[in-house]
PDB file of all heavy atoms in Angstrom:
ATOM      1  N   SER A   1      -0.029   5.484  -3.064  1.00 94.00           N
ATOM      2  CA  SER A   1       0.706   4.218  -3.089  1.00 94.00           C
ATOM      3  C   SER A   1       2.196   4.430  -2.862  1.00 94.00           C
ATOM      4  O   SER A   1       2.866   3.613  -2.226  1.00 94.00           O
ATOM      5  CB  SER A   1       0.461   3.492  -4.417  1.00 94.00           C
ATOM      6  OG  SER A   1      -0.875   3.050  -4.498  1.00 94.00           O
ATOM      7  N   ARG A   2       2.731   5.538  -3.372  1.00 95.00           N
ATOM      8  CA  ARG A   2       4.159   5.803  -3.159  1.00 95.00           C
ATOM      9  C   ARG A   2       4.444   6.170  -1.713  1.00 95.00           C
ATOM     10  O   ARG A   2       5.493   5.812  -1.169  1.00 95.00           O
ATOM     11  CB  ARG A   2       4.621   6.904  -4.111  1.00 95.00           C
ATOM     12  CG  ARG A   2       4.661   6.437  -5.560  1.00 95.00           C
ATOM     13  CD  ARG A   2       4.696   7.587  -6.541  1.00 95.00           C
ATOM     14  NE  ARG A   2       4.650   7.128  -7.917  1.00 95.00           N
ATOM     15  CZ  ARG A   2       4.255   7.845  -8.944  1.00 95.00           C
ATOM     16  NH1 ARG A   2       3.846   9.109  -8.740  1.00 95.00           N
ATOM     17  NH2 ARG A   2       4.228   7.353 -10.164  1.00 95.00           N
ATOM     18  N   LEU A   3       3.515   6.889  -1.055  1.00 96.00           N
ATOM     19  CA  LEU A   3       3.681   7.143   0.374  1.00 96.00           C
ATOM     20  C   LEU A   3       3.580   5.840   1.156  1.00 96.00           C
ATOM     21  O   LEU A   3       4.339   5.617   2.113  1.00 96.00           O
ATOM     22  CB  LEU A   3       2.636   8.135   0.867  1.00 96.00           C
ATOM     23  CG  LEU A   3       2.686   8.476   2.364  1.00 96.00           C
ATOM     24  CD1 LEU A   3       4.036   9.072   2.758  1.00 96.00           C
ATOM     25  CD2 LEU A   3       1.554   9.428   2.734  1.00 96.00           C
ATOM     26  N   ALA A   4       2.665   4.960   0.749  1.00 96.00           N
ATOM     27  CA  ALA A   4       2.557   3.641   1.391  1.00 96.00           C
ATOM     28  C   ALA A   4       3.868   2.877   1.279  1.00 96.00           C
ATOM     29  O   ALA A   4       4.309   2.218   2.234  1.00 96.00           O
ATOM     30  CB  ALA A   4       1.418   2.844   0.760  1.00 96.00           C
ATOM     31  N   LEU A   5       4.501   2.960   0.110  1.00 96.00           N
ATOM     32  CA  LEU A   5       5.798   2.309  -0.081  1.00 96.00           C
ATOM     33  C   LEU A   5       6.825   2.840   0.908  1.00 96.00           C
ATOM     34  O   LEU A   5       7.541   2.079   1.576  1.00 96.00           O
ATOM     35  CB  LEU A   5       6.272   2.529  -1.518  1.00 96.00           C
ATOM     36  CG  LEU A   5       7.699   2.093  -1.851  1.00 96.00           C
ATOM     37  CD1 LEU A   5       7.839   0.586  -1.741  1.00 96.00           C
ATOM     38  CD2 LEU A   5       8.088   2.574  -3.255  1.00 96.00           C
ATOM     39  N   GLY A   6       6.919   4.168   1.016  1.00 96.00           N
ATOM     40  CA  GLY A   6       7.889   4.758   1.937  1.00 96.00           C
ATOM     41  C   GLY A   6       7.609   4.391   3.382  1.00 96.00           C
ATOM     42  O   GLY A   6       8.533   4.082   4.144  1.00 96.00           O
ATOM     43  N   LEU A   7       6.340   4.415   3.785  1.00 97.00           N
ATOM     44  CA  LEU A   7       5.994   4.059   5.167  1.00 97.00           C
ATOM     45  C   LEU A   7       6.323   2.604   5.449  1.00 97.00           C
ATOM     46  O   LEU A   7       6.841   2.266   6.521  1.00 97.00           O
ATOM     47  CB  LEU A   7       4.507   4.324   5.409  1.00 97.00           C
ATOM     48  CG  LEU A   7       4.072   5.790   5.417  1.00 97.00           C
ATOM     49  CD1 LEU A   7       2.559   5.899   5.460  1.00 97.00           C
ATOM     50  CD2 LEU A   7       4.687   6.527   6.609  1.00 97.00           C
ATOM     51  N   ALA A   8       6.026   1.721   4.499  1.00 96.00           N
ATOM     52  CA  ALA A   8       6.326   0.295   4.706  1.00 96.00           C
ATOM     53  C   ALA A   8       7.824   0.060   4.833  1.00 96.00           C
ATOM     54  O   ALA A   8       8.263  -0.789   5.626  1.00 96.00           O
ATOM     55  CB  ALA A   8       5.754  -0.520   3.549  1.00 96.00           C
ATOM     56  N   GLU A   9       8.613   0.824   4.082  1.00 94.00           N
ATOM     57  CA  GLU A   9      10.060   0.617   4.108  1.00 94.00           C
ATOM     58  C   GLU A   9      10.717   1.116   5.390  1.00 94.00           C
ATOM     59  O   GLU A   9      11.865   0.780   5.665  1.00 94.00           O
ATOM     60  CB  GLU A   9      10.697   1.284   2.884  1.00 94.00           C
ATOM     61  CG  GLU A   9      10.380   0.555   1.581  1.00 94.00           C
ATOM     62  CD  GLU A   9      10.998   1.225   0.366  1.00 94.00           C
ATOM     63  OE1 GLU A   9      11.416   2.407   0.488  1.00 94.00           O
ATOM     64  OE2 GLU A   9      11.064   0.586  -0.695  1.00 94.00           O
ATOM     65  N   THR A  10       9.988   1.912   6.189  1.00 94.00           N
ATOM     66  CA  THR A  10      10.558   2.321   7.477  1.00 94.00           C
ATOM     67  C   THR A  10      10.650   1.154   8.449  1.00 94.00           C
ATOM     68  O   THR A  10      11.440   1.189   9.399  1.00 94.00           O
ATOM     69  CB  THR A  10       9.704   3.429   8.129  1.00 94.00           C
ATOM     70  OG1 THR A  10       8.419   2.900   8.497  1.00 94.00           O
ATOM     71  CG2 THR A  10       9.538   4.615   7.204  1.00 94.00           C
ATOM     72  N   GLY A  11       9.830   0.134   8.240  1.00 94.00           N
ATOM     73  CA  GLY A  11       9.789  -0.990   9.155  1.00 94.00           C
ATOM     74  C   GLY A  11       9.063  -0.683  10.452  1.00 94.00           C
ATOM     75  O   GLY A  11       9.002  -1.533  11.350  1.00 94.00           O
ATOM     76  N   GLU A  12       8.478   0.515  10.550  1.00 94.00           N
ATOM     77  CA  GLU A  12       7.795   0.929  11.781  1.00 94.00           C
ATOM     78  C   GLU A  12       6.292   1.086  11.600  1.00 94.00           C
ATOM     79  O   GLU A  12       5.584   1.441  12.539  1.00 94.00           O
ATOM     80  CB  GLU A  12       8.374   2.258  12.271  1.00 94.00           C
ATOM     81  CG  GLU A  12       9.854   2.211  12.604  1.00 94.00           C
ATOM     82  CD  GLU A  12      10.385   3.573  13.025  1.00 94.00           C
ATOM     83  OE1 GLU A  12       9.760   4.591  12.663  1.00 94.00           O
ATOM     84  OE2 GLU A  12      11.408   3.614  13.719  1.00 94.00           O
ATOM     85  N   VAL A  13       5.810   0.838  10.367  1.00 96.00           N
ATOM     86  CA  VAL A  13       4.415   1.132  10.062  1.00 96.00           C
ATOM     87  C   VAL A  13       3.766  -0.060   9.365  1.00 96.00           C
ATOM     88  O   VAL A  13       4.325  -0.620   8.417  1.00 96.00           O
ATOM     89  CB  VAL A  13       4.289   2.380   9.153  1.00 96.00           C
ATOM     90  CG1 VAL A  13       2.829   2.721   8.915  1.00 96.00           C
ATOM     91  CG2 VAL A  13       5.025   3.568   9.760  1.00 96.00           C
ATOM     92  N   GLN A  14       2.592  -0.425   9.848  1.00 97.00           N
ATOM     93  CA  GLN A  14       1.729  -1.352   9.127  1.00 97.00           C
ATOM     94  C   GLN A  14       0.776  -0.502   8.303  1.00 97.00           C
ATOM     95  O   GLN A  14       0.023   0.302   8.842  1.00 97.00           O
ATOM     96  CB  GLN A  14       0.946  -2.247  10.087  1.00 97.00           C
ATOM     97  CG  GLN A  14      -0.006  -3.209   9.382  1.00 97.00           C
ATOM     98  CD  GLN A  14      -0.840  -4.021  10.351  1.00 97.00           C
ATOM     99  OE1 GLN A  14      -0.517  -4.108  11.533  1.00 97.00           O
ATOM    100  NE2 GLN A  14      -1.917  -4.615   9.850  1.00 97.00           N
ATOM    101  N   VAL A  15       0.807  -0.684   6.985  1.00 97.00           N
ATOM    102  CA  VAL A  15       0.072   0.202   6.078  1.00 97.00           C
ATOM    103  C   VAL A  15      -1.107  -0.537   5.469  1.00 97.00           C
ATOM    104  O   VAL A  15      -0.980  -1.656   4.972  1.00 97.00           O
ATOM    105  CB  VAL A  15       0.984   0.728   4.956  1.00 97.00           C
ATOM    106  CG1 VAL A  15       0.246   1.759   4.112  1.00 97.00           C
ATOM    107  CG2 VAL A  15       2.266   1.326   5.525  1.00 97.00           C
ATOM    108  N   ASP A  16      -2.274   0.118   5.513  1.00 97.00           N
ATOM    109  CA  ASP A  16      -3.474  -0.364   4.837  1.00 97.00           C
ATOM    110  C   ASP A  16      -3.879   0.638   3.765  1.00 97.00           C
ATOM    111  O   ASP A  16      -3.970   1.837   4.044  1.00 97.00           O
ATOM    112  CB  ASP A  16      -4.652  -0.501   5.809  1.00 97.00           C
ATOM    113  CG  ASP A  16      -4.449  -1.589   6.848  1.00 97.00           C
ATOM    114  OD1 ASP A  16      -3.484  -2.357   6.725  1.00 97.00           O
ATOM    115  OD2 ASP A  16      -5.269  -1.658   7.783  1.00 97.00           O
ATOM    116  N   LEU A  17      -4.109   0.162   2.543  1.00 96.00           N
ATOM    117  CA  LEU A  17      -4.761   0.964   1.516  1.00 96.00           C
ATOM    118  C   LEU A  17      -6.248   0.638   1.568  1.00 96.00           C
ATOM    119  O   LEU A  17      -6.641  -0.509   1.350  1.00 96.00           O
ATOM    120  CB  LEU A  17      -4.198   0.656   0.132  1.00 96.00           C
ATOM    121  CG  LEU A  17      -2.774   1.133  -0.172  1.00 96.00           C
ATOM    122  CD1 LEU A  17      -2.412   0.784  -1.600  1.00 96.00           C
ATOM    123  CD2 LEU A  17      -2.636   2.634   0.053  1.00 96.00           C
ATOM    124  N   VAL A  18      -7.063   1.615   1.885  1.00 96.00           N
ATOM    125  CA  VAL A  18      -8.509   1.424   1.988  1.00 96.00           C
ATOM    126  C   VAL A  18      -9.115   2.040   0.734  1.00 96.00           C
ATOM    127  O   VAL A  18      -9.078   3.261   0.544  1.00 96.00           O
ATOM    128  CB  VAL A  18      -9.062   2.085   3.265  1.00 96.00           C
ATOM    129  CG1 VAL A  18     -10.551   1.818   3.398  1.00 96.00           C
ATOM    130  CG2 VAL A  18      -8.317   1.570   4.496  1.00 96.00           C
ATOM    131  N   CYS A  19      -9.672   1.191  -0.145  1.00 93.00           N
ATOM    132  CA  CYS A  19     -10.038   1.623  -1.498  1.00 93.00           C
ATOM    133  C   CYS A  19     -11.538   1.508  -1.733  1.00 93.00           C
ATOM    134  O   CYS A  19     -12.184   0.577  -1.252  1.00 93.00           O
ATOM    135  CB  CYS A  19      -9.319   0.758  -2.528  1.00 93.00           C
ATOM    136  SG  CYS A  19      -7.527   0.686  -2.324  1.00 93.00           S
ATOM    137  N   TYR A  20     -12.062   2.442  -2.521  1.00 86.00           N
ATOM    138  CA  TYR A  20     -13.442   2.331  -2.959  1.00 86.00           C
ATOM    139  C   TYR A  20     -13.504   2.126  -4.468  1.00 86.00           C
ATOM    140  O   TYR A  20     -14.392   2.616  -5.153  1.00 86.00           O
ATOM    141  CB  TYR A  20     -14.280   3.537  -2.507  1.00 86.00           C
ATOM    142  CG  TYR A  20     -13.711   4.907  -2.772  1.00 86.00           C
ATOM    143  CD1 TYR A  20     -14.101   5.656  -3.867  1.00 86.00           C
ATOM    144  CD2 TYR A  20     -12.800   5.484  -1.898  1.00 86.00           C
ATOM    145  CE1 TYR A  20     -13.601   6.912  -4.109  1.00 86.00           C
ATOM    146  CE2 TYR A  20     -12.292   6.758  -2.110  1.00 86.00           C
ATOM    147  CZ  TYR A  20     -12.696   7.465  -3.220  1.00 86.00           C
ATOM    148  OH  TYR A  20     -12.191   8.718  -3.446  1.00 86.00           O
ATOM    149  N   SER A  21     -12.564   1.360  -5.002  1.00 82.00           N
ATOM    150  CA  SER A  21     -12.603   0.882  -6.378  1.00 82.00           C
ATOM    151  C   SER A  21     -11.991  -0.510  -6.387  1.00 82.00           C
ATOM    152  O   SER A  21     -11.411  -0.958  -5.395  1.00 82.00           O
ATOM    153  CB  SER A  21     -11.826   1.802  -7.316  1.00 82.00           C
ATOM    154  OG  SER A  21     -10.438   1.545  -7.239  1.00 82.00           O
ATOM    155  N   GLU A  22     -12.112  -1.189  -7.509  1.00 84.00           N
ATOM    156  CA  GLU A  22     -11.580  -2.543  -7.622  1.00 84.00           C
ATOM    157  C   GLU A  22     -10.242  -2.583  -8.349  1.00 84.00           C
ATOM    158  O   GLU A  22      -9.746  -3.658  -8.674  1.00 84.00           O
ATOM    159  CB  GLU A  22     -12.587  -3.446  -8.342  1.00 84.00           C
ATOM    160  CG  GLU A  22     -13.870  -3.686  -7.560  1.00 84.00           C
ATOM    161  CD  GLU A  22     -13.607  -4.341  -6.197  1.00 84.00           C
ATOM    162  OE1 GLU A  22     -12.766  -5.246  -6.132  1.00 84.00           O
ATOM    163  OE2 GLU A  22     -14.247  -3.919  -5.220  1.00 84.00           O
ATOM    164  N   ASP A  23      -9.638  -1.419  -8.624  1.00 84.00           N
ATOM    165  CA  ASP A  23      -8.347  -1.407  -9.314  1.00 84.00           C
ATOM    166  C   ASP A  23      -7.303  -2.148  -8.490  1.00 84.00           C
ATOM    167  O   ASP A  23      -7.265  -2.021  -7.262  1.00 84.00           O
ATOM    168  CB  ASP A  23      -7.885   0.025  -9.553  1.00 84.00           C
ATOM    169  CG  ASP A  23      -8.753   0.759 -10.559  1.00 84.00           C
ATOM    170  OD1 ASP A  23      -9.405   0.089 -11.376  1.00 84.00           O
ATOM    171  OD2 ASP A  23      -8.772   2.004 -10.528  1.00 84.00           O
ATOM    172  N   PRO A  24      -6.423  -2.882  -9.142  1.00 87.00           N
ATOM    173  CA  PRO A  24      -5.373  -3.595  -8.409  1.00 87.00           C
ATOM    174  C   PRO A  24      -4.302  -2.634  -7.931  1.00 87.00           C
ATOM    175  O   PRO A  24      -4.122  -1.555  -8.505  1.00 87.00           O
ATOM    176  CB  PRO A  24      -4.820  -4.562  -9.455  1.00 87.00           C
ATOM    177  CG  PRO A  24      -5.021  -3.845 -10.758  1.00 87.00           C
ATOM    178  CD  PRO A  24      -6.349  -3.121 -10.604  1.00 87.00           C
ATOM    179  N   PRO A  25      -3.569  -3.008  -6.887  1.00 88.00           N
ATOM    180  CA  PRO A  25      -2.434  -2.180  -6.470  1.00 88.00           C
ATOM    181  C   PRO A  25      -1.313  -2.270  -7.498  1.00 88.00           C
ATOM    182  O   PRO A  25      -1.257  -3.226  -8.276  1.00 88.00           O
ATOM    183  CB  PRO A  25      -2.017  -2.801  -5.135  1.00 88.00           C
ATOM    184  CG  PRO A  25      -2.472  -4.220  -5.220  1.00 88.00           C
ATOM    185  CD  PRO A  25      -3.735  -4.197  -6.038  1.00 88.00           C
ATOM    186  N   PRO A  26      -0.422  -1.283  -7.539  1.00 87.00           N
ATOM    187  CA  PRO A  26       0.699  -1.350  -8.484  1.00 87.00           C
ATOM    188  C   PRO A  26       1.599  -2.532  -8.153  1.00 87.00           C
ATOM    189  O   PRO A  26       1.745  -2.922  -6.985  1.00 87.00           O
ATOM    190  CB  PRO A  26       1.412  -0.009  -8.275  1.00 87.00           C
ATOM    191  CG  PRO A  26       0.980   0.460  -6.931  1.00 87.00           C
ATOM    192  CD  PRO A  26      -0.394  -0.057  -6.709  1.00 87.00           C
ATOM    193  N   PRO A  27       2.232  -3.136  -9.154  1.00 87.00           N
ATOM    194  CA  PRO A  27       3.028  -4.349  -8.918  1.00 87.00           C
ATOM    195  C   PRO A  27       4.244  -4.135  -8.024  1.00 87.00           C
ATOM    196  O   PRO A  27       4.741  -5.091  -7.427  1.00 87.00           O
ATOM    197  CB  PRO A  27       3.445  -4.781 -10.335  1.00 87.00           C
ATOM    198  CG  PRO A  27       3.319  -3.541 -11.166  1.00 87.00           C
ATOM    199  CD  PRO A  27       2.194  -2.763 -10.581  1.00 87.00           C
ATOM    200  N   TRP A  28       4.711  -2.884  -7.905  1.00 88.00           N
ATOM    201  CA  TRP A  28       5.905  -2.631  -7.100  1.00 88.00           C
ATOM    202  C   TRP A  28       5.588  -2.438  -5.621  1.00 88.00           C
ATOM    203  O   TRP A  28       6.492  -2.303  -4.799  1.00 88.00           O
ATOM    204  CB  TRP A  28       6.645  -1.398  -7.616  1.00 88.00           C
ATOM    205  CG  TRP A  28       5.786  -0.231  -7.969  1.00 88.00           C
ATOM    206  CD1 TRP A  28       5.387   0.136  -9.214  1.00 88.00           C
ATOM    207  CD2 TRP A  28       5.209   0.734  -7.076  1.00 88.00           C
ATOM    208  NE1 TRP A  28       4.594   1.264  -9.157  1.00 88.00           N
ATOM    209  CE2 TRP A  28       4.471   1.652  -7.855  1.00 88.00           C
ATOM    210  CE3 TRP A  28       5.256   0.909  -5.688  1.00 88.00           C
ATOM    211  CZ2 TRP A  28       3.781   2.721  -7.301  1.00 88.00           C
ATOM    212  CZ3 TRP A  28       4.565   1.975  -5.132  1.00 88.00           C
ATOM    213  CH2 TRP A  28       3.841   2.860  -5.925  1.00 88.00           C
ATOM    214  N   LEU A  29       4.301  -2.438  -5.256  1.00 91.00           N
ATOM    215  CA  LEU A  29       3.943  -2.236  -3.858  1.00 91.00           C
ATOM    216  C   LEU A  29       4.264  -3.502  -3.069  1.00 91.00           C
ATOM    217  O   LEU A  29       3.890  -4.608  -3.474  1.00 91.00           O
ATOM    218  CB  LEU A  29       2.451  -1.910  -3.745  1.00 91.00           C
ATOM    219  CG  LEU A  29       2.006  -1.149  -2.498  1.00 91.00           C
ATOM    220  CD1 LEU A  29       2.640   0.234  -2.464  1.00 91.00           C
ATOM    221  CD2 LEU A  29       0.491  -1.014  -2.476  1.00 91.00           C
ATOM    222  N   PRO A  30       4.950  -3.392  -1.928  1.00 92.00           N
ATOM    223  CA  PRO A  30       5.332  -4.601  -1.177  1.00 92.00           C
ATOM    224  C   PRO A  30       4.113  -5.341  -0.629  1.00 92.00           C
ATOM    225  O   PRO A  30       3.065  -4.740  -0.369  1.00 92.00           O
ATOM    226  CB  PRO A  30       6.213  -4.058  -0.051  1.00 92.00           C
ATOM    227  CG  PRO A  30       5.893  -2.615   0.051  1.00 92.00           C
ATOM    228  CD  PRO A  30       5.472  -2.164  -1.310  1.00 92.00           C
ATOM    229  N   ASP A  31       4.275  -6.637  -0.445  1.00 92.00           N
ATOM    230  CA  ASP A  31       3.179  -7.463   0.065  1.00 92.00           C
ATOM    231  C   ASP A  31       2.772  -7.082   1.484  1.00 92.00           C
ATOM    232  O   ASP A  31       1.672  -7.441   1.927  1.00 92.00           O
ATOM    233  CB  ASP A  31       3.581  -8.945   0.031  1.00 92.00           C
ATOM    234  CG  ASP A  31       3.769  -9.464  -1.391  1.00 92.00           C
ATOM    235  OD1 ASP A  31       3.195  -8.853  -2.316  1.00 92.00           O
ATOM    236  OD2 ASP A  31       4.503 -10.457  -1.568  1.00 92.00           O
ATOM    237  N   THR A  32       3.641  -6.387   2.194  1.00 94.00           N
ATOM    238  CA  THR A  32       3.306  -5.995   3.563  1.00 94.00           C
ATOM    239  C   THR A  32       2.215  -4.926   3.611  1.00 94.00           C
ATOM    240  O   THR A  32       1.646  -4.672   4.675  1.00 94.00           O
ATOM    241  CB  THR A  32       4.557  -5.474   4.286  1.00 94.00           C
ATOM    242  OG1 THR A  32       5.148  -4.419   3.497  1.00 94.00           O
ATOM    243  CG2 THR A  32       5.571  -6.593   4.480  1.00 94.00           C
ATOM    244  N   VAL A  33       1.930  -4.280   2.474  1.00 95.00           N
ATOM    245  CA  VAL A  33       0.855  -3.293   2.410  1.00 95.00           C
ATOM    246  C   VAL A  33      -0.456  -4.019   2.133  1.00 95.00           C
ATOM    247  O   VAL A  33      -0.610  -4.665   1.093  1.00 95.00           O
ATOM    248  CB  VAL A  33       1.122  -2.235   1.322  1.00 95.00           C
ATOM    249  CG1 VAL A  33      -0.051  -1.272   1.206  1.00 95.00           C
ATOM    250  CG2 VAL A  33       2.398  -1.473   1.634  1.00 95.00           C
ATOM    251  N   SER A  34      -1.403  -3.921   3.053  1.00 95.00           N
ATOM    252  CA  SER A  34      -2.685  -4.594   2.895  1.00 95.00           C
ATOM    253  C   SER A  34      -3.649  -3.713   2.116  1.00 95.00           C
ATOM    254  O   SER A  34      -3.615  -2.486   2.232  1.00 95.00           O
ATOM    255  CB  SER A  34      -3.287  -4.917   4.271  1.00 95.00           C
ATOM    256  OG  SER A  34      -2.417  -5.738   5.025  1.00 95.00           O
ATOM    257  N   VAL A  35      -4.519  -4.337   1.339  1.00 94.00           N
ATOM    258  CA  VAL A  35      -5.535  -3.624   0.577  1.00 94.00           C
ATOM    259  C   VAL A  35      -6.905  -4.041   1.099  1.00 94.00           C
ATOM    260  O   VAL A  35      -7.243  -5.226   1.115  1.00 94.00           O
ATOM    261  CB  VAL A  35      -5.423  -3.920  -0.927  1.00 94.00           C
ATOM    262  CG1 VAL A  35      -6.537  -3.200  -1.695  1.00 94.00           C
ATOM    263  CG2 VAL A  35      -4.057  -3.490  -1.451  1.00 94.00           C
ATOM    264  N   HIS A  36      -7.678  -3.072   1.555  1.00 94.00           N
ATOM    265  CA  HIS A  36      -9.035  -3.308   2.060  1.00 94.00           C
ATOM    266  C   HIS A  36     -10.021  -2.655   1.106  1.00 94.00           C
ATOM    267  O   HIS A  36      -9.911  -1.467   0.798  1.00 94.00           O
ATOM    268  CB  HIS A  36      -9.203  -2.734   3.468  1.00 94.00           C
ATOM    269  CG  HIS A  36      -8.367  -3.405   4.505  1.00 94.00           C
ATOM    270  ND1 HIS A  36      -8.868  -4.327   5.400  1.00 94.00           N
ATOM    271  CD2 HIS A  36      -7.045  -3.314   4.775  1.00 94.00           C
ATOM    272  CE1 HIS A  36      -7.902  -4.754   6.180  1.00 94.00           C
ATOM    273  NE2 HIS A  36      -6.787  -4.155   5.817  1.00 94.00           N
TER     274      HIS A  36
END
């Protein structure tokens, strides 16, 4: 999730978290990061 944060902040990357659990993303993760 922290790498996703850094990639999203570059403004050059669309980031997807692809998860095999139902845990929610951390509250500090930007909305631009999609969760699948």
Side-chain angles (χ1 to χ4, degrees):
S1 292
R2 290 162 184 158
L3 179 59
L5 172 66
L7 292 172
E9 289 179 344
T10 67
E12 299 177 338
V13 183
Q14 178 184 343
V15 186
D16 293 351
L17 289 182
V18 183
C19 306
Y20 49 98
S21 80
E22 293 301 319
D23 292 337
W28 43 260
L29 203 64
D31 294 337
T32 54
V33 176
S34 301
V35 178
H36 295 258

